[in-house]
Amino acid sequence: MSYRTADSFRTVTLDDVRGAQKMLTGVARVTAMEGSRHLSGLVGSPVHLKCENLQRTGSFKLRGAYVRIAGLLPEERAAGVVAASAGNHAQGVALASSLLGVRSTVFMPRGAPLPKISATRDYGAEVRLHGHVVDETLAAAQEYAADTGAVFIHPFDHPDIIAGQGTVGLEILEQCPEVRTIVVGIGGGGLAAGIAIAVKALRPDVRIVGVQAAGAAAYPPSLAAGRPVSIENPVTMADGIKVGRPGDVPFGIVGALVDEVRTVTEDELSAALLLCLERAKLVVEPAGASPVAALLSDPGAFEGPVVAVLSGGNVDPVLMQRVLRHGMAAQGRYLAVRLRLTDRPGALATLLGVLSAVDANVLDVSHVRTDPRLGLTEAEVELHLETKGPAHCAEVGEALRTAGYTVIE
């Protein structure tokens, strides 16, 4: 099912973005711009982080949602609004509606993280859990809109949404007037399109680079085809940019104004999230860290000064734990090994002594004695180790083999 109106095809202009900026005064924060010495050293020129993860509701989504709902006619406001989202858009719509005195209903997948469900309710929305994937949730929200007359608030495919997100671009130019490259994550394309409209109108020399997760990269094939195309089963930890098809409205803008769209791997996203936490002291969700991932993967490709947009910080604590461990493993700072040893008293202590000698910190030990794969006198041990990098991982492996242990790949 689709939900389109004639207004959806209206052109977005710089004046629209400037009008949105005035509308958002006192509503959305002018988020901080933080320098990153580490990234600047890698790129070879100044790199700044635009911290939309510190925005109200934890992402840029409040900007577009507020502008869209504020622009409704009185009779439309009276009917209420409805949205579908796994997190950031849900919270943006909920808070914007509360600020404007509009009733909101938000459909969320049954598997949505509990902190995001609770936050959406706390911001004033009625939350309905439906479906297990966003497409099912979206269909339910659109059906609700058709049945009740509530206005469907699309997360990215509407000119007002794009104008609101474009205010990030105006702030970037004000905070870093010497900027040469802006790097921004792309899901449906609303944020990238809005930034591109604002920046290219005022500074056409600024290069704008979009970033998608490799497992959910719908823009490259769409741009090649000249029209939005769908990809099946997008897979990425970065749920904020996990969109299977570009929006019709942002697609045309991205195609005309965004200079390049790059992709990043899950390992690169994990490393970027870890870097933001350790070096910048910023909690950033995987989608928000995608611009940093692009800088890490190919630092020489970006002319500085560079601004990387950290689009959101709403990361589930359980996912954060998994991603951080994944990021540490990708950097060689976390190692999981399985090996077999003779099941006799003191065997485990001897093994731990070998690891201690090479300064490997043991985080967890799993000791299995009863398994059909094991011989009568064998035991299998799985160890999770904190290590100091790839060279240290290699040293640990060599020490285990030298000590006579069989490491199971």
Side-chain angles (χ1 to χ4, degrees):
M1 179 187 295
S2 62
Y3 190 85
R4 309 283 305 179
T5 67
D7 190 51
S8 299
F9 297 96
R10 175 168 54 83
T11 301
V12 185
T13 67
L14 175 62
D15 285 342
D16 292 326
V17 180
R18 283 175 166 160
Q21 187 176 45
K22 292 180 181 178
M23 190 180 296
L24 289 168
T25 301
V27 175
R29 294 177 181 144
V30 177
T31 52
M33 184 86 76
E34 299 287 344
S36 171
R37 186 171 62 178
H38 180 75
L39 289 172
S40 297
L42 291 177
V43 173
S45 60
V47 174
H48 306 279
L49 306 175
K50 176 60 172 169
C51 299
E52 281 297 290
N53 59 309
L54 303 179
Q55 183 57 262
R56 297 178 72 179
T57 75
S59 87
F60 70 96
K61 289 289 189 176
L62 171 65
R63 297 172 183 263
Y66 188 91
V67 173
R68 173 76 173 101
I69 297 169
L72 296 178
L73 298 173
E75 57 269 26
E76 291 176 319
R77 291 196 189 193
V81 299
V82 60
S85 168
N88 289 347
H89 181 59
Q91 294 172 68
V93 168
L95 178 56
S97 299
S98 294
L99 293 173
L100 291 164
V102 177
R103 184 178 70 258
S104 64
T105 303
V106 177
F107 285 77
M108 303 182 75
R110 296 187 184 278
L114 290 177
K116 293 185 178 183
I117 295 173
S118 298
T120 303
R121 286 183 173 138
D122 289 345
Y123 286 128
E126 176 190 349
V127 174
R128 300 192 180 192
L129 302 180
H130 184 93
H132 296 283
V133 296
V134 174
D135 286 345
E136 295 173 351
T137 308
L138 181 63
Q142 292 171 331
E143 183 178 352
Y144 177 90
D147 291 344
T148 65
V151 178
F152 178 67
I153 307 299
H154 200 284
F156 50 81
D157 206 9
H158 192 280
D160 290 344
I161 296 288
I162 294 170
Q165 321 306 28
T167 59
V168 176
L170 293 181
E171 289 179 16
I172 290 172
L173 294 183
E174 292 165 0
Q175 293 170 311
C176 184
E178 68 278 14
V179 63
R180 297 292 300 167
T181 305
I182 296 173
V183 191
V184 56
I186 296 185
L191 178 61
I195 289 175
I197 286 169
V199 172
K200 289 292 188 179
L202 296 169
R203 286 280 309 282
D205 59 302
V206 173
R207 183 172 179 80
I208 299 177
V209 179
V211 183
Q212 293 208 288
Y219 263 90
S222 297
L223 292 170
R227 58 180 175 79
V229 298
S230 299
I231 58 171
E232 294 185 3
N233 302 318
V235 177
T236 177
M237 71 176 81
D239 58 350
I241 53 175
K242 185 181 176 182
V243 178
R245 182 185 184 278
D248 291 330
V249 180
F251 174 76
I253 299 167
V254 170
L257 298 179
V258 172
D259 297 283
E260 180 186 5
V261 176
R262 289 175 166 249
T263 62
V264 292
T265 67
E266 300 298 285
D267 282 350
E268 289 163 347
L269 286 168
S270 296
L273 189 150
L274 184 60
L275 183 143
C276 288
L277 186 63
E278 285 192 323
R279 297 298 184 97
K281 314 306 178 194
L282 293 169
V283 175
V284 183
E285 63 190 86
S290 59
V292 175
L295 295 176
L296 291 175
S297 67
D298 190 8
F302 301 90
E303 180 186 359
V306 177
V307 172
V309 182
L310 307 181
S311 57
N314 292 318
V315 57
D316 179 51
V318 175
L319 175 62
M320 171 71 87
Q321 184 179 40
R322 288 186 1 233
V323 170
L324 289 179
R325 181 166 289 187
H326 187 79
M328 290 177 69
Q331 292 186 356
R333 295 169 53 194
Y334 177 86
L335 180 65
V337 295
R338 284 191 305 133
L339 49 85
R340 289 180 183 174
L341 45 75
T342 302
D343 188 15
R344 56 179 172 77
L348 183 58
T350 300
L351 169 62
L352 296 179
V354 172
L355 295 172
S356 176
V358 290
D359 204 23
N361 186 32
V362 178
L363 300 175
D364 190 27
V365 178
S366 175
H367 196 191
V368 178
R369 289 187 175 90
T370 56
D371 190 296
R373 298 170 301 167
L374 299 175
L376 184 63
T377 61
E378 286 185 319
E380 185 173 291
V381 176
E382 181 174 349
L383 303 111
H384 294 181
L385 310 172
E386 184 180 5
T387 48
K388 301 174 183 178
H392 191 210
C393 289
E395 182 185 357
V396 170
E398 183 59 29
L400 291 171
R401 285 185 287 271
T402 300
Y405 294 103
T406 300
V407 179
I408 303 171
E409 300 295 337

